[in-house]
Amino acid sequence: MPDIDISITGNRFADIIFRYPCTQKILMVTDGSLSFGADGFGLSEFVGIVRAAGHNVTTAHRSGSGPNLTIAGAYNFATATPVVTAANYDQIWLFGFSTSPLTAAEQTRIAQFMAAGGGVFATGDHETIGAGMGSNLPRVRSMRNWATIPMVNPSRHDTVIDPGADGVKQFNDQADATPQRIYPVFFSNGGPDNVAGSWSVHPVLRHSSGAVDNLPDHPHESECLAPAPVAGSFAGIEEWPAPVSGGARVGAQIAAVSVSAGRFIVDTLKPPVRPRCFGAISAYDGDPARVGRVVCDATWHHFVNINLNGAGAGSDPTTGLPRTGLYAAGTPTPEYMKIRTYYLNTVRWLAPIGRRTCWPFVIATLARFDFEMQEFRLPLPHPCPWDPLMRIGLLAEEIVNRQWGPGTLADVVDDMLTTSEAAPALAQLLKGQQAPQGAGQDKRSDPSLLPLQDLRRVILGAVVNAIAHKLPEDDEKLAAVLKRSNDKLVRELVLEGVGAARQAMDEHLQQALKQTAALVKAIQQKK
């Protein structure tokens, strides 16, 4: 099954392609009053969404309490079996309630997991809720506020902005079908500022509509941060390591902003808040430094049952019926379907480099078997020059943007180059041209005549053409090839495609340089 909310109807190949296993091994740990059960502070619905997408989820509780635990007993990261290593898990998700700190041995074990490329997601709630785990891990500790955002006074973060159907704002309006609006941050892929295609949201918020722009709401959230990366170690590892190829340290980024503007809450006597914005999601890309990625969220209320399905929220005063969260007449609302996409995008994005070959391959294969691409009459013969590869790439870009959301081209090509290590210099060039966020956003690179997006299009086009050469169009034969994970096949196809793209690039750019030099000479002669 796909691990993203995407509709490809009427294409018999899509179901076959989606059977290709892209499973992540995920350890989810909670503590305190949270659980993996079906109660209000349970995570059963969220875990069900992740498992239904084909991922292998192991659940544990630091005190051993609550239902639906894969690992029984009080969980300790340092002594647990299976051992918490990048060999046993691809990513760790931490839903913190307790302030009981991790032991030094637990900190070291998780830090080593992060240094080995494992992904980490972490969240808590207001004030110090969740600080026991979150504030004791490298990078995570400073990518979110684990201490000071209050629960009651006007400085709290209240995203339950609109009252429920009865017109009276109450605490449990967090369990109605109206979520909060979030504001995704747009990032540049290095193209011209005044071109729409140069800008897209962070991959965890990618959606075919343009962006995931909703989250469940809550009357007192914390905030996510984007600290400046500095030298120094924590829990035995370098906290903000420099890229392996040199250059400045990479820091975290704010992926989305929320608005706190809630009114007086009558049933819990919370005063109105001072309207302001705060970080809803922060993300750290460890790829340049070859360490694990990190995502933090402002609150676990974006994931628990009371917000998703209304469990434990009592009855709606206007109907007398139980609240049902983000469901309408038993059906998930469109906003909830977007939120599910955020969950599954995050799973995909946190995958370690060595376990991320699958999704670029699936996306490119879906593009190859799209109706429009089938009419293109692939494969084209090898070696294929620039112009036909560009035509394939432009069509593939249109397809992946339609299916997965604007900006997918850069994601797919970056992952292909990074995971295959087919062209390290080219990967560094494309990644390095992307604009930084925050204070550095206006400090753009020196102007370049390189057509960055066209380079990406040619790479994707060449990989799609390579897939067309190797994968059969017969349903049964294609199903036989894709029924099992085959990293060797994926790597071969990506290497073949990138190699063909580099040959076409070299010939095209050499010719373009000659033509440009001739034009410059002609201009100089007219002075």
Side-chain angles (χ1 to χ4, degrees):
M1 294 181 65
D3 72 350
I4 195 166
D5 175 34
I6 172 177
S7 177
I8 305 176
T9 58
N11 187 331
R12 71 184 192 278
F13 293 106
D15 286 340
I16 297 172
I17 295 165
F18 276 135
R19 293 175 202 161
Y20 188 83
C22 291
T23 303
Q24 283 287 290
K25 297 175 292 183
I26 307 170
L27 171 64
M28 292 189 181
V29 180
T30 189
D31 58 18
S33 299
L34 294 175
S35 77
F36 293 102
D39 60 310
F41 276 13
L43 290 153
S44 60
E45 178 143 347
F46 164 71
V47 173
I49 292 167
V50 177
R51 282 179 171 156
H55 300 296
N56 184 353
V57 178
T58 298
T59 55
H61 195 285
R62 291 179 71 203
S63 67
S65 62
N68 301 330
L69 297 179
T70 307
I71 299 177
Y75 191 80
N76 184 294
F77 290 94
T79 60
T81 303
V83 180
V84 179
T85 65
N88 291 327
Y89 299 107
D90 297 313
Q91 46 191 278
I92 300 172
W93 286 57
L94 306 174
F95 296 92
F97 192 101
S98 172
T99 57
S100 177
L102 298 170
T103 65
E106 289 181 291
Q107 292 180 44
T108 299
R109 179 60 56 83
I110 299 173
Q112 290 172 344
F113 172 83
M114 298 167 74
V120 170
F121 171 91
T123 187
D125 198 28
H126 59 82
E127 295 173 331
T128 58
I129 289 181
M133 291 191 288
S135 68
N136 289 286
L137 293 174
R139 295 186 282 281
V140 174
R141 63 181 184 141
S142 55
M143 286 175 57
R144 188 184 177 281
N145 188 329
W146 299 98
T148 64
I149 304 300
M151 177 180 180
V152 176
N153 71 34
S155 293
R156 76 181 192 279
H157 288 154
D158 186 344
T159 61
V160 188
I161 295 175
D162 297 314
D166 60 356
V168 179
K169 182 176 175 180
Q170 302 161 81
F171 182 82
N172 277 328
D173 286 338
Q174 67 175 332
D176 64 18
T178 304
Q180 64 167 302
R181 173 74 183 272
I182 62 171
Y183 299 87
V185 176
F186 282 75
F187 300 89
S188 171
N189 57 33
D193 284 355
N194 59 347
V195 174
S198 297
W199 301 91
S200 58
V201 299
H202 192 278
V204 301
L205 298 175
R206 196 81 76 223
H207 192 269
S208 58
S209 68
V212 175
D213 51 11
N214 292 104
L215 284 175
D217 50 4
H218 182 59
H220 32 76
E221 305 190 10
S222 189
E223 64 182 344
C224 292
L225 308 168
V230 295
S233 297
F234 186 82
I237 67 167
E238 190 174 5
E239 187 157 22
W240 301 100
V244 294
S245 58
R249 300 174 190 276
V250 176
Q253 298 174 316
I254 296 297
V257 172
S258 286
V259 174
S260 173
R263 310 174 190 177
F264 188 84
I265 300 179
V266 296
D267 55 343
T268 53
L269 303 180
K270 286 181 170 56
V273 296
R274 291 188 288 272
R276 64 198 186 281
C277 298
F278 65 95
I281 302 166
S282 57
Y284 166 77
D285 185 0
D287 279 7
R290 292 301 187 268
V291 299
R293 288 171 164 175
V294 179
V295 173
C296 290
D297 192 289
T299 176
W300 38 253
H301 274 280
H302 298 159
F303 300 83
V304 294
N305 295 330
I306 191 171
N307 297 85
L308 302 185
N309 60 33
S315 297
D316 187 321
T318 60
T319 65
L321 299 174
R323 290 183 172 87
T324 57
L326 295 171
Y327 286 84
T331 301
T333 64
E335 293 83 3
Y336 188 17
M337 295 307 295
K338 281 189 175 183
I339 293 165
R340 290 183 179 192
T341 301
Y342 160 55
Y343 299 159
L344 300 172
N345 283 348
T346 303
V347 170
R348 183 164 61 93
W349 193 76
L350 286 174
I353 289 177
R355 296 274 295 150
R356 211 186 304 147
T357 58
C358 178
W359 268 104
F361 168 72
V362 167
I363 292 172
T365 305
L366 282 168
R368 184 270 172 274
F369 285 101
D370 185 84
F371 292 127
E372 292 185 72
M373 193 66 76
Q374 290 178 56
E375 293 179 3
F376 205 87
R377 306 290 295 174
L378 296 181
L380 298 181
H382 284 304
C384 198
W386 174 275
D387 287 345
L389 290 182
M390 264 294 293
R391 289 194 291 271
I392 302 172
L394 283 166
L395 179 55
E397 179 185 26
E398 184 275 322
I399 292 168
V400 300
N401 282 351
R402 164 166 44 84
Q403 294 176 344
W404 306 90
T408 302
L409 172 67
D411 294 348
V412 172
V413 172
D414 283 352
D415 269 353
M416 284 177 176
L417 294 176
T418 301
T419 59
S420 69
E421 297 184 330
L426 180 58
Q428 184 180 352
L429 168 69
L430 293 176
K431 194 76 172 177
Q433 292 298 314
Q434 297 184 30
Q437 185 204 342
Q441 183 73 54
D442 295 328
K443 298 176 181 178
R444 308 303 297 275
S445 302
D446 292 334
S448 172
L449 295 178
L450 276 176
L452 299 176
Q453 281 294 81
D454 285 350
L455 298 183
R456 294 184 176 105
R457 290 172 184 128
V458 166
I459 293 169
L460 181 57
V463 172
V464 167
N465 195 41
I467 290 171
H469 272 276
K470 292 292 178 67
L471 296 188
E473 293 188 66
D474 178 84
D475 296 33
E476 292 185 3
K477 292 180 180 179
L478 180 64
V481 172
L482 298 182
K483 70 179 180 181
R484 62 189 181 277
S485 179
N486 191 336
D487 288 342
K488 181 180 178 182
L489 171 65
V490 173
R491 182 173 175 79
E492 287 176 355
L493 288 170
V494 171
L495 288 174
E496 180 180 332
V498 173
R502 292 179 69 184
Q503 180 176 340
M505 287 177 193
D506 182 63
E507 294 171 356
H508 174 77
L509 293 176
Q510 290 292 345
Q511 184 62 31
L513 283 172
K514 292 178 181 178
Q515 293 175 346
T516 302
L519 289 172
V520 170
K521 186 175 181 180
I523 292 171
Q524 291 173 336
Q525 289 175 346
K526 293 179 180 179
K527 286 185 178 179

